[in-house]
């Protein structure tokens, strides 16, 4: 299998894993954001190899969204309840 195929399949499988983790809505669901970040990286590598610049732009946006989700998952539970917005 070529690097192109590896990035394509890893991107797809990690994206599916991330979606499944978030859909499960349990204490490990936040790991879905990490799976999405890894998936986004794979898709960007794939897009660079195939000159798919629209895919790069989309995945760059998804990286920002996944990073926000990961930060919220890691940081919000650590904040005291009085400092959270209601």
């Amino acid at each position: 299998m070529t690097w192109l195929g590896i990035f394509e399949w890893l991107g797809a499988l990690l994206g599916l894993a991330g979606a499944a983790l978030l859909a499960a809505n349990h204490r490990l669901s936040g790991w879905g954001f990490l799976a999405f970040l890894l998936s986004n990286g794979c898709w960007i590598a794939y897009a660079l190899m195939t000159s798919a610049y629209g895919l790069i732009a989309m995945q760059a946006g998804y990286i920002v969204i996944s990073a926000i989700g990961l930060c919220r998952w890691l940081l919000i539970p650590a904040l005291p309840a009085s400092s959270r917005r209601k």
Side-chain angles (χ1 to χ4, degrees):
M1 183 176 280
T2 65
W3 281 108
L4 190 65
I6 290 169
F7 285 129
E8 180 183 17
W9 281 103
L10 270 178
L13 294 174
L14 286 166
L16 288 170
L21 281 166
L22 287 177
N25 198 23
H26 57 75
R27 64 181 180 85
L28 297 176
S29 288
W31 288 104
F33 293 116
L34 182 59
F36 278 139
L37 282 172
L38 295 172
S39 172
N40 301 141
C42 289
W43 281 116
I44 286 176
Y46 175 85
L48 287 169
M49 292 177 178
T50 59
S51 301
Y53 301 112
L55 184 58
I56 293 170
M58 182 176 67
Q59 294 303 316
Y62 285 159
I63 282 176
V64 172
I65 294 166
S66 296
I68 291 168
L70 190 60
C71 287
R72 288 180 53 90
W73 174 60
L74 290 174
L75 299 177
I76 296 297
L79 293 176
S82 61
S83 65
R84 294 185 200 161
R85 286 190 213 177
K86 297 192 174 161

